[in-house]
Structure formats: C-alpha cells, structure tokens
C-alpha cells in the first residue's frame, strides 16, 4: 500500500481546487490515517474489498480527512474540520493523527478568520476535531473565531449520552464550548428534510451512519455538489450494500444511498468524499451492470 510522505507537500495538503458555477471549492486535508479495513467495509468479505482498498500487514487501509472550503462571494464556508489536536494520547497513537489542517489553510492562503460558516456533518471526532484548538497552555479556543458553526442538535444530545457503543467517537470539547458561547447553531433537520444555511448552501439529513447524519448541498448557477460524508465515505464504498461496520443502522444506510443516487446520478452532481484521500471528488454514473461507479473529476 503506497503511503503519502510523512512530510506533507502542498498536494498532500490541498487535495483539489475546482469551481462550481460561481463558487470556488478547495479541498484541504487534515492528513491521511489508517483504519481497519474490515471495520470500514462491514460484512463485505476482504477478498472483495481489498481489490479496491489494499490493506497493510495490520489489515489497515489508507483514508483521508477532507475539509471543503466554499467561497460563494458572500460567504466562506468550511465543511468538516478533521481530527484536530485534542485526541487522548492512546487514540492519537492509533490514528497517527497528522494535525495538518492549519498548515493546509496556510498553504492554500485561506485564513481561519475568513471562515464565517462552519458545518459539521456529524460530531464524531474525525469530523469536528478542529472546531476548537487546544492551545499550548491547555485552553480550548474556537479555531474559526468569526464563524457561525452549524451541527445537528441530535448529535450533541447523542454525544452527551456517552453510550457503550460509540462514546469514544464523541469529544465534547469539539462542540460544548461553542454551544455554551452561542457560536454553534443546532439544527433539527429531520430525515430527508433540507435546511438552508446561506444562499447556495443547505444541509439534508441522511440517517444510518448516525441517526442525524447531514449531507451538505452546494448549488450555484445550475451546478450541484454534495458533501455526502459518512453515508459514502470513499469512492470504494459506492455499492449500495458496501456500508461501514461503524454505521449504527446499516440497513438504513443502504436505503439512504438509494435515495441519494436517485438524484445524484441523473442530475450529475459532483460528489465530495469525506475520507477518500486519493479521489476526494467525482461524478457517479451507472456501469453496464447497473452498479454505481466513479468518473474522476475532469
Ligand atoms: Zn468519518
């Protein structure tokens, strides 16, 4: 399995730059990490998934952490904020967290102060980690001081329950301080419902991975992109039944993928993948066997 270099170069940090209508999209990376391939592909046998996602000697596959910056002309939006710098030492070791999102911002010449909207698809620590930054003296401060943050109310409530199954996925310092200060707005978007955030940007609830997973729609001048988050984490997960072992409701994930493809394929959406380091975006079409496949971005 080829690993990117330990010392990130600018293409490791900036995974893609493209336009959508009048909007400018930049895909930044908080780094690549390694996760167990079996967990990432649930009940799919390794003999099948390893053809698309080669595993290392410890059965781990390479994943990315993609943050999408959207400049609409009126707003500068950050979708998702990577792993961050607050992991407990044991988890930091397991994930070999790169903590490179601030460097990616600097390399792309985007200042954190410019971000006026942050959207979290859900509040797992690998999606909301840089919402806040731990300073060298141990304080927790907002990484984006001028931003309004948006997340689903149900995610905050679920995180607070600290359930046996997924307590480890929620680090309250990623959201509690922002809710307390009023900087984070909690939405109540119900399944299949769409909530507008700012012109051209809205969120839609696709349950399955978590009960309130939000996808982010980006629409400008007839173009449509969608950050589909952990409903379809990488382009190796396009088959409707190749859902993750992490999903709380995998059967729902399969149904929600059908609902997503029913629009994304005929309307030729640009699909943005949260954990695909190699192919962070592309269009999906059906092959001769009627299976969804990726057409790499032009
Ligand atoms: Zn994830």
């Amino acid at each position: 399995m080829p690993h990117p270099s330990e010392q990130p170069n600018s293409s490791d940090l900036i995974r893609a730059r493209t336009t959508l209508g009048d909007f400018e999209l930049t895909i930044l990376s908080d780094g690549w990490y390694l996760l167990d391939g079996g967990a990432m592909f649930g009940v799919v046998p390794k003999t099948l998934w390893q053809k698309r996602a080669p595993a290392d000697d410890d059965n781990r596959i390479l994943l990315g952490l993609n943050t999408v910056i959207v400049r609409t002309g009126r707003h500068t939006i950050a979708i998702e904020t990577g792993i961050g710098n607050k992991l407990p030492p044991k988890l930091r070791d397991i994930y070999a967290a790169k903590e490179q999102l601030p460097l990616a911002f600097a390399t792309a010449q985007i200042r954190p102060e410019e971000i006026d909207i942050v959207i979290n698809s859900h509040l797992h620590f690998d999606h909301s980690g840089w919402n806040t930054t731990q300073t060298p003296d141990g304080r927790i401060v907002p990484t984006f001081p001028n931003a309004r943050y948006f997340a689903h109310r149900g995610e905050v409530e679920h995180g607070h329950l600290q359930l046996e199954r997924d307590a480890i996925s929620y680090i309250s310092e990623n959201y509690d301080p922002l809710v307390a200060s009023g900087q984070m707005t909690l939405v109540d978007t119900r399944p299949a419902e769409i909530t507008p955030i700012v012109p051209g940007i809205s969120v839609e609830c696709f349950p399955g991975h978590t009960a309130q997973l939000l996808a982010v729609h980006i629409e400008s001048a007839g173009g449509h992109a969608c950050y589909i988050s952990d409903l379809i984490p990488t382009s190796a997960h396009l088959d409707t039944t190749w859902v993750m072992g992490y999903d709380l409701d995998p059967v729902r994930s399969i149904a929600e993928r059908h609902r997503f493809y029913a629009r994304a394929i005929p309307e030729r959406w640009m699909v943005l993948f949260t954990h695909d380091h190699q192919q962070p975006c592309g269009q999906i079409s059906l092959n001769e066997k009627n299976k969804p496949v990726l057409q790499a971005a032009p």
Side-chain angles (χ1 to χ4, degrees), residues 33 35 40 64-65 80 121-122 124 126-127 209 229-230 233 244 246 274-275:
Y33 67 136
L35 273 188
M40 282 303 289
L65 293 159
E80 226 76 317
S121 68
H122 60 306
H124 285 167
D126 58 332
H127 293 258
H209 179 65
S229 189
D230 276 334
M244 288 191 281
Y246 298 105
T274 187
H275 291 310

Side-chain angles (χ1 to χ4, degrees), residues 117-286:
I117 305 280
V118 174
I119 303 172
N120 297 130
S121 68
H122 60 306
L123 292 173
H124 285 167
F125 68 76
D126 58 332
H127 293 258
S128 59
W130 287 109
N131 277 4
T132 57
T133 299
Q134 185 162 25
T135 63
D137 59 353
R139 286 175 304 122
I140 304 291
V141 298
T143 308
F144 305 101
N146 301 319
R148 254 176 95 197
Y149 291 69
F150 290 85
H152 201 290
R153 183 183 313 279
E155 280 290 309
V156 174
E157 290 171 352
H158 188 95
H160 286 167
L161 293 175
Q162 289 289 285
L163 298 177
E164 205 175 3
R165 160 78 192 238
D166 60 2
I168 196 168
S169 298
Y170 291 89
I171 296 177
S172 65
E173 290 158 328
N174 289 330
Y175 41 89
D176 277 349
L178 300 168
V179 174
S181 71
Q183 204 175 340
M184 179 176 267
T185 299
L186 300 179
V187 300
D188 295 295
T189 317
R190 287 185 307 195
E193 234 178 46
I194 294 179
T195 300
I197 303 294
V198 292
I201 306 289
S202 58
V203 294
E204 178 173 359
C205 184
F206 286 91
H209 179 65
T210 66
Q212 300 89 12
L213 186 80
L214 296 175
V216 184
H217 293 290
I218 307 160
E219 294 167 82
S220 173
H224 195 139
C226 185
Y227 190 97
I228 193 58
S229 189
D230 276 334
L231 181 64
I232 307 170
T234 78
S235 62
H237 287 85
L238 292 177
D239 288 56
T240 46
T241 57
W242 286 36
V243 295
M244 288 191 281
Y246 298 105
D247 289 3
L248 294 184
D249 186 347
V251 175
R252 183 68 186 262
S253 288
I254 293 171
E256 291 294 307
R257 284 180 176 192
H258 282 286
R259 196 169 73 74
F260 175 71
Y261 288 143
R263 287 195 64 199
I265 293 174
E267 296 178 23
R268 304 173 66 81
W269 292 356
M270 179 197 302
V271 180
L272 301 156
F273 298 106
T274 187
H275 291 310
D276 198 322
H277 192 66
Q278 320 292 354
Q279 302 280 352
C281 61
Q283 254 181 33
I284 298 171
S285 59
L286 295 175

Side-chain angles (χ1 to χ4, degrees), residues 3-181:
H3 284 189
S5 55
E6 288 294 332
Q7 285 301 321
N9 60 37
S10 68
S11 79
D12 295 324
L13 298 162
I14 306 170
R15 300 303 300 153
R17 273 186 198 271
T18 184
T19 55
L20 180 89
D22 300 327
F23 294 177
E24 186 188 288
L25 273 55
T26 307
I27 304 180
L28 304 180
S29 173
D30 192 31
W32 52 272
Y33 67 136
L34 301 168
L35 273 188
D36 186 81
M40 282 303 289
F41 288 99
V43 299
V44 179
K46 183 178 180 184
T47 48
L48 295 181
W49 62 251
Q50 70 179 355
K51 292 179 194 158
R52 296 191 200 165
D56 69 6
D57 291 343
D58 291 324
N59 206 44
R60 299 173 306 174
I61 63 169
L62 181 88
L63 295 167
L65 293 159
N66 296 325
T67 291
V68 179
I69 308 297
V70 186
R71 289 187 196 274
T72 72
R74 285 168 68 187
H75 295 281
T76 305
I77 296 128
I79 303 169
E80 226 76 317
T81 64
I83 286 186
N85 74 343
K86 296 181 297 295
L87 279 189
K90 191 175 162 197
L91 285 181
R92 188 173 300 186
D93 247 33
I94 289 174
Y95 297 115
K98 304 290 180 292
E99 302 183 2
Q100 70 179 34
L101 193 62
L103 182 59
F105 267 82
T107 306
Q109 298 188 305
I110 302 169
R111 292 179 305 113
E113 293 78 11
E114 289 174 63
I115 303 294
D116 62 351
I117 305 280
V118 174
I119 303 172
N120 297 130
S121 68
H122 60 306
L123 292 173
H124 285 167
F125 68 76
D126 58 332
H127 293 258
S128 59
W130 287 109
N131 277 4
T132 57
T133 299
Q134 185 162 25
T135 63
D137 59 353
R139 286 175 304 122
I140 304 291
V141 298
T143 308
F144 305 101
N146 301 319
R148 254 176 95 197
Y149 291 69
F150 290 85
H152 201 290
R153 183 183 313 279
E155 280 290 309
V156 174
E157 290 171 352
H158 188 95
H160 286 167
L161 293 175
Q162 289 289 285
L163 298 177
E164 205 175 3
R165 160 78 192 238
D166 60 2
I168 196 168
S169 298
Y170 291 89
I171 296 177
S172 65
E173 290 158 328
N174 289 330
Y175 41 89
D176 277 349
L178 300 168
V179 174
S181 71

